[in-house]
């Protein structure tokens, strides 16, 4: 069974633990170990996670499969009708169980319930990440791309993907 729980400050150690496993695995063939270490500190240190949740408005959700934490996602409102899916990560071995799809749909549902509609959801995804195909399957499109400096001489070489979120259609 797949369940979700909105995360709070007390969950930052769990998010960091999941990221240590999932983020590193996801980017092992895309980023250098040095860049991965830098990004882990930049995005997933306790200080960074607490700032994201407490000051920057990131709304994290933790996903559970069979009672075990297997992933997380976060959304952040960036304008009245603009949201960013900041993070969406799932443990290796969870693919093919519809968990990723349900995570994505839960993010859309959260935005739908907390935004003026129609709204736009954007996502940055590394251009070499195979997940690009998943996001396209979920209804996103490549809106633009760029090489975004993140410090220490590193860049995120991303597509910015987007989709419109409208009111649900009654059957």
């Amino acid at each position: 069974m797949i369940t979700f729980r909105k995360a709070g400050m007390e969950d930052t150690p769990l998010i960091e633990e999941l990221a240590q496993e999932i983020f590193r695995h996801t980017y092992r063939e895309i980023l250098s170990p040095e860049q991965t270490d830098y990004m882990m500190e930049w995005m997933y240190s306790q200080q960074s996670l607490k700032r994201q949740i407490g000051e920057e408005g990131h709304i994290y959700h933790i996903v559970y499969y069979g009672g075990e934490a297997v992933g997380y996602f976060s959304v952040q409102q960036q304008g009245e009708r603009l949201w960013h899916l900041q993070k969406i990560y799932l443990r290796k071995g969870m693919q093919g169980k519809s968990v990723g799809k349900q995570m994505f749909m839960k993010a859309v549902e959260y935005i739908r319930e907390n935004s003026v509609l129609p709204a736009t959801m954007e996502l940055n995804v590394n251009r070499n990440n195979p997940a690009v195909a998943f996001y396209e399957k979920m209804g996103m499109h490549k809106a633009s791309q760029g090489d975004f400096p993140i410090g220490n001489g590193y860049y995120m070489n991303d597509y910015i993907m987007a989709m419109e979120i409208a009111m649900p259609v009654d059957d």
Side-chain angles (χ1 to χ4, degrees):
M1 182 170 148
I2 300 168
T3 57
F4 295 91
R5 183 174 59 79
K6 187 176 174 183
M9 287 288 190
E10 68 280 3
D11 295 304
T12 57
L14 175 57
I15 296 166
E16 181 183 27
E17 178 185 325
L18 288 166
Q20 286 290 343
E21 174 188 340
I22 300 168
F23 188 87
R24 288 183 184 282
H25 176 77
T26 300
Y27 293 101
R28 72 194 182 289
E29 295 179 6
I30 298 172
L31 304 175
S32 70
E34 295 80 14
Q35 182 168 349
T36 301
D37 288 345
Y38 177 81
M39 291 180 75
M40 286 298 301
E41 179 64 26
W42 176 53
M43 293 191 302
Y44 292 113
S45 68
Q46 287 297 300
Q47 180 181 355
S48 177
L49 288 167
K50 288 178 180 177
R51 183 179 60 252
Q52 290 171 42
I53 294 170
E55 300 170 22
E56 298 174 2
H58 292 234
I59 310 298
Y60 276 87
H61 287 82
I62 299 172
V63 60
Y64 294 84
Y65 185 82
E68 179 184 355
V70 295
Y72 57 93
F73 71 87
S74 76
V75 294
Q76 179 189 32
Q77 189 168 13
Q78 297 186 324
E80 183 180 37
R81 296 175 187 262
L82 178 62
W83 289 74
H84 205 89
L85 179 55
Q86 290 287 3
K87 298 170 182 69
I88 181 166
Y89 291 100
L90 183 61
R91 273 191 173 146
K92 177 185 169 194
M94 288 289 107
Q95 293 78 17
K97 300 178 189 301
S98 144
V99 180
K101 178 179 180 180
Q102 288 191 42
M103 288 172 68
F104 186 91
M105 295 311 298
K106 183 73 172 177
V108 169
E109 176 186 317
Y110 183 87
I111 292 168
R112 187 174 279 131
E113 292 173 355
N114 291 280
S115 185
V116 175
L117 298 176
T120 299
M121 179 175 76
E122 293 182 339
L123 163 74
N124 284 48
V125 61
N126 185 286
R127 293 191 298 264
N128 295 310
N129 189 332
V132 169
F134 168 78
Y135 298 123
E136 289 176 326
K137 182 179 174 186
M138 296 305 297
M140 300 192 87
H141 68 277
K142 296 172 191 160
S144 63
Q145 70 179 34
D147 298 313
F148 306 100
I150 59 171
N152 219 37
Y154 297 120
Y155 288 83
M156 291 194 321
N157 310 108
D158 291 349
Y159 289 121
I160 298 173
M161 301 189 75
M163 71 180 288
E164 185 175 293
I165 299 173
M167 292 292 294
V169 178
D170 292 330
D171 293 322

